[in-house]
Amino acid sequence: VNANILWIFSLTQACLVLAHIQHLDYSTWLQATSETPLPADYSSSYRRLVGRLIYLTNTRPDIAHAVQQLSQCMSNPTNTHHQDAFRVLRYLKGTPSSGLFFAATSTPQLWAFSDLDWAGCRDSRRSITGLFVYFGSSLISWQLKKQSTISRSSSEAEYRALASTTCEPQWLTYVLQDFCVPFIQPATLYCDNQPAIQIATNLVFHEHTKHIEIDCHIVRHKVNSGLIKLLLVSSSKQLVDIFTKALSPAVFHDLCNKLGMMNIHSQLAGDS
């Protein structure tokens, strides 16, 4: 392995199943059901397994959406949830050498993607926020989290997601400055919702957003101060879809490549 690059990859002791398939059925949604709960022993096993998978998302962002769905069912798991957890294991078993690639040289600039699944939780109807932050070409920070309140519109939910995403490059900016690391400013923040960008950049919309908490307007403040620059990105190029949506296998693997995930054994297999 080239000394100028860093590979991060993970294995889990639970990956004992030999099949290699997509880790969740993208045509279905996980939610609390009226099915018969798992027996106590199996429920404890399910919780331990999901706990390990949550830890694994620190190095495998490609399973974050599936694990987030599974973690919502910790209190009352059913046989369906248990089977889907094993689908994640089968996916991991088929991709044990996948990991994030960090280039030795790249443009020193922070850029982020913000997206959400509006009312994505089928039980509470709260939206799910996803974000990515890159430094140059390397993915260095990601998060998938359910919003604390129910949003009345997709624009409001997108604006809340922007507020959460803004805090991440702000913190990273301070860290880079403290370590005297030279980088290009401002950080670039991509969002695929035009109304949310207008709310953050146009004071005319203030009267229409009074119901949104004051702390959400941190986006407008940071845009005005020059810390971040908001840009519109088309939905087809929104990388955070891998966090907020269940995707077809082709789209899923395409986004994995764009995240910078690579197979450390590809050269051994003869791949280019």
Side-chain angles (χ1 to χ4, degrees):
V1 179
N2 192 316
N4 292 326
I5 54 179
L6 171 64
W7 290 95
I8 299 180
F9 62 99
S10 303
L11 292 173
T12 176
Q13 294 180 349
C15 295
L16 301 177
V17 188
L18 298 179
H20 173 206
I21 61 175
Q22 171 69 7
H23 54 284
L24 275 186
D25 184 356
Y26 64 93
S27 63
T28 62
W29 292 83
L30 286 181
Q31 61 185 111
T33 67
S34 58
E35 295 181 23
T36 303
L38 288 172
D41 292 344
Y42 286 96
S43 295
S44 299
S45 175
Y46 175 86
R47 296 186 185 99
R48 288 194 298 270
L49 172 58
V50 175
R52 292 184 174 97
L53 291 175
I54 291 174
Y55 180 77
L56 189 60
T57 58
N58 288 322
T59 55
R60 291 292 298 266
D62 52 331
I63 65 171
H65 173 71
V67 174
Q68 190 271 342
Q69 294 288 308
L70 293 171
S71 66
Q72 303 302 306
C73 313
M74 297 275 270
S75 61
N76 193 32
T78 67
N79 187 57
T80 299
H81 304 141
H82 199 248
Q83 291 176 353
D84 284 331
F86 275 94
R87 291 174 67 89
V88 177
L89 294 187
R90 288 194 287 271
Y91 169 75
L92 290 171
K93 180 60 181 180
T95 57
S97 56
S98 292
L100 290 174
F101 172 80
F102 290 85
T105 58
S106 62
T107 304
Q109 182 179 17
L110 291 169
W111 52 291
F113 286 84
S114 174
D115 195 24
L116 90 159
D117 183 14
W118 182 36
C121 177
R122 296 301 178 93
D123 298 313
S124 66
R125 282 306 177 184
R126 288 190 286 171
S127 302
I128 300 172
T129 296
L131 66 91
F132 288 147
V133 182
Y134 290 79
F135 185 67
S137 61
S138 303
L139 180 65
I140 60 173
S141 179
W142 56 91
Q143 187 180 88
L144 181 63
K145 187 177 181 180
K146 189 186 296 183
Q147 293 186 358
S148 58
T149 60
I150 299 175
S151 299
R152 295 186 290 179
S153 69
S154 60
S155 297
E156 178 185 342
E158 286 276 7
Y159 192 50
R160 294 181 187 279
L162 274 179
S164 298
T165 307
T166 297
C167 295
E168 197 68 15
Q170 173 184 296
W171 175 77
L172 289 169
T173 294
Y174 296 155
V175 170
L176 292 172
Q177 290 174 344
D178 288 343
F179 282 97
C180 300
V181 177
F183 64 101
I184 300 172
Q185 290 184 279
T188 303
L189 176 53
Y190 293 95
C191 174
D192 61 0
N193 188 276
Q194 184 70 54
I197 294 178
Q198 290 176 341
I199 291 172
T201 57
N202 193 339
L203 292 176
V204 174
F205 289 87
H206 177 70
E207 292 295 325
H208 302 286
T209 59
K210 284 186 176 180
H211 62 285
I212 303 177
E213 285 87 344
I214 297 300
D215 58 353
C216 280
H217 291 288
I218 187 177
V219 183
R220 181 181 301 159
H221 175 68
K222 297 306 176 183
V223 169
N224 293 337
S225 67
L227 180 72
I228 64 169
K229 177 175 65 174
L230 278 174
L231 292 177
L232 182 68
V233 64
S234 64
S235 297
S236 61
K237 297 180 180 179
Q238 177 58 271
L239 302 186
V240 196
D241 280 350
I242 197 173
F243 268 19
T244 59
K245 298 175 180 65
L247 304 171
S248 65
V251 176
F252 172 80
H253 290 298
D254 179 58
L255 289 181
C256 280
N257 292 332
K258 292 179 179 178
L259 292 186
M261 298 202 67
M262 296 184 181
N263 183 355
I264 196 174
H265 296 157
S266 60
Q267 292 181 348
L268 299 177
D271 296 342
S272 56

